[in-house]
Amino acid sequence: MNLDIPGKFAPIVHQAQQVAREVFRPISRHYDRAEHAYPKELDMFASIMDGMNDGAADGGAGAGRLARSAGDTGTGNQNGTNMKTVLGLTELCWGDVGLALSIPRQGLGNSAIAAVANEQQLQRFGKTWAAMAITEPGVGSDSAAIRTTATKDGDHYIINGEKIYVTAGERANAVVVWATLDKSLGRAAIKSFVVEKGTPGMTVERLEKKLGIRASDTAAIRFDNCRVPKDNLLGDPEISVGKGFAGAMQTFDNTRPVVAGMAIGVARAALERTQEILKAAGLNLTYQQQSWTTTAAVRELHLLEAELEAARLLTLRAAWMADNGQPNSKEASMAKAKAGRVGNQITLRCVELCASLGYQETELLEKWARDSKILDIFEGTQQIQLLIIARRLLGKSSSELK
């Protein structure tokens, strides 16, 4: 197994590191305090990223480029868009998670479009900044229990329902809404629709005040007889009971490794800063001693490093499988479960290890601890990921193992 990062990705990793260090870190605290204020500094970066993607021979990077490879191309090992996006966002979240989530045209809705849209829809919506609306009040983590409805009416669908926790829901130019065509048919009837900003019947009800990622707006949106063209239904409009909503769930198989990478980035930031603080306090952080002969703090750091490396390797595997057209639902959930839990564990432990420095706003450690929690929750909670892994390992369907 070759565990080195492909050399061709070195430029984008370096560029992401520069943005994280020179752009994100200096404004991180400002936008944490100025919740819901739009970070205008991101406009230039987004434009640069768009230009790089338009001229990229390998498909570029970012949420709007995430798509599963067609499979074996006969050219051997593929390291493509999924791997590049994971590596780039890992570095950006080393700078700031909330700002990384606020980059124009890099919303989760863009990932949904890339995953299931047809060629015509990719042309129409490929450069649209799209949020993704899945979660509903009372539904929780069960995406198959969606109650928002889409009723066919001639050349349109009429959408009714309410969505909550929509990342970039107010700022984005469109929202990808998950709705059911027929509640009696369960998950098979769930489809996703692109609802463009300003469509009558779509209303942003409120912006949430949050524990972390405050630079990112999180909206509650109501759909009241919201009429959208039938061509805005992403993918196949036919209901296939056998296939279920596998096309929609493929979005998660592509984005869960990305969220895992985000957790790795913020955890690495906390770990590196803690090492700097403890080294300045006189602790010997070399690896020359056995763990039982070191101080408790150093031993703890070594254990956290090992956990972070395990999560990183799981994440790279899941992204590599997507690039090579291999089914990765189990591996994507493994990466998300491990990285989400470990990321939060590391940032909280670093706050403890640095005592008063970790808890005060003189350092970003307390902010990273707050930001990291959402990465263990959205895109499927820890419990949902473990359930998916169990189903894959045991060969059980969702109805057989709940």
Side-chain angles (χ1 to χ4, degrees), residues 36 113 117 158 167 193 250 252 287 333 352 385 389:
H36 302 152
I113 292 170
I158 299 175
T167 302
F193 300 81
Q250 185 180 316
F252 287 139
Y287 301 91
S333 287
E352 295 175 19
Q385 305 306 329
I389 295 166

Side-chain angles (χ1 to χ4, degrees), residues 14-29:
H14 177 68
Q15 289 164 352
Q17 286 175 342
Q18 284 187 309
V19 171
R21 182 177 295 105
E22 305 298 332
V23 180
F24 283 14
R25 284 280 181 95
I27 63 176
S28 181
R29 182 64 72 184

Side-chain angles (χ1 to χ4, degrees), residues 218-351:
T218 305
I221 303 178
R222 179 169 53 86
F223 299 90
D224 186 7
N225 292 324
C226 182
R227 182 178 290 268
V228 299
K230 66 178 183 180
D231 291 338
N232 284 28
L233 185 155
L234 294 176
D236 187 359
E238 298 300 320
I239 298 174
S240 173
V241 177
K243 186 178 180 181
F245 67 149
M249 291 306 293
Q250 185 180 316
T251 303
F252 287 139
D253 293 343
N254 290 341
T255 58
R256 280 170 177 159
V258 173
V259 175
M262 296 170 72
I264 291 164
V266 68
R268 199 187 82 215
L271 202 54
E272 289 176 357
R273 182 57 187 143
T274 300
Q275 290 168 336
E276 292 172 1
I277 291 173
L278 295 185
K279 186 175 181 180
L283 270 69
N284 180 4
L285 301 182
T286 63
Y287 301 91
Q288 296 175 350
Q289 295 175 295
Q290 298 293 338
S291 61
W292 57 84
T293 64
T294 65
T295 64
V298 172
R299 179 178 180 275
E300 184 75 13
L301 283 176
H302 290 171
L303 292 174
L304 295 178
E305 286 177 346
E307 291 278 41
L308 184 62
E309 181 65 5
R312 188 182 75 90
L313 294 176
L314 283 171
T315 301
L316 295 181
R317 179 177 66 164
W320 179 89
M321 291 177 72
D323 278 337
N324 286 271
Q326 299 182 13
N328 73 333
S329 180
K330 179 184 69 176
E331 289 77 11
S333 287
M334 290 170 68
K336 169 65 168 61
K338 177 72 171 180
R341 176 175 54 80
V342 164
N344 193 230
Q345 173 191 356
I346 289 175
T347 55
L348 284 172
R349 193 71 183 106
C350 287
V351 167

Side-chain angles (χ1 to χ4, degrees), residues 28-36 214 361-362 367:
S28 181
R29 182 64 72 184
H30 169 74
Y31 285 106
D32 181 58
R33 290 171 175 160
E35 187 169 9
H36 302 152
R214 293 176 178 171
E361 288 190 355
T362 52
K367 180 184 181 302

Side-chain angles (χ1 to χ4, degrees), residues 143-180:
S143 298
I146 284 172
R147 293 175 296 191
T148 296
T149 60
T151 306
K152 186 76 177 295
D153 183 24
D155 291 334
H156 293 78
Y157 284 94
I158 299 175
I159 299 177
N160 283 285
E162 183 181 359
K163 297 291 183 178
I164 56 176
Y165 305 136
V166 182
T167 302
E170 182 184 51
R171 298 171 185 167
N173 303 120
V175 178
V176 175
V177 182
W178 288 28
T180 179

Side-chain angles (χ1 to χ4, degrees), residues 69-243:
S69 167
D72 187 4
T73 60
T75 57
N77 179 53
Q78 302 293 312
N79 289 299
T81 298
N82 291 275
M83 180 72 75
K84 182 189 288 189
T85 302
V86 164
L87 295 174
L89 266 174
T90 297
E91 299 305 323
L92 291 178
C93 289
W94 178 90
D96 189 278
V97 177
L99 293 172
L101 286 168
S102 300
I103 302 171
R105 294 170 295 284
Q106 298 300 320
L108 292 175
N110 294 99
S111 302
I113 292 170
V116 299
N118 58 39
E119 288 300 321
Q120 184 181 19
Q121 291 169 334
L122 287 174
Q123 290 294 323
R124 288 177 58 205
F125 303 122
K127 294 188 177 181
T128 298
W129 184 4
M132 187 151 67
I134 303 175
T135 306
E136 299 179 0
V139 173
S141 297
D142 186 4
S143 298
I146 284 172
R147 293 175 296 191
T148 296
T149 60
T151 306
K152 186 76 177 295
D153 183 24
D155 291 334
H156 293 78
Y157 284 94
I158 299 175
I159 299 177
N160 283 285
E162 183 181 359
K163 297 291 183 178
I164 56 176
Y165 305 136
V166 182
T167 302
E170 182 184 51
R171 298 171 185 167
N173 303 120
V175 178
V176 175
V177 182
W178 288 28
T180 179
L181 302 183
D182 187 340
K183 289 182 180 180
S184 66
L185 295 179
R187 62 179 59 223
I190 294 174
K191 302 291 182 178
S192 50
F193 300 81
V194 177
V195 183
E196 297 177 80
K197 192 172 186 178
T199 301
M202 182 176 76
T203 307
V204 175
E205 293 290 300
R206 66 181 182 278
L207 296 179
E208 307 290 355
K209 292 185 177 295
K210 309 183 297 296
L211 172 72
I213 59 165
R214 293 176 178 171
S216 171
D217 70 316
T218 305
I221 303 178
R222 179 169 53 86
F223 299 90
D224 186 7
N225 292 324
C226 182
R227 182 178 290 268
V228 299
K230 66 178 183 180
D231 291 338
N232 284 28
L233 185 155
L234 294 176
D236 187 359
E238 298 300 320
I239 298 174
S240 173
V241 177
K243 186 178 180 181

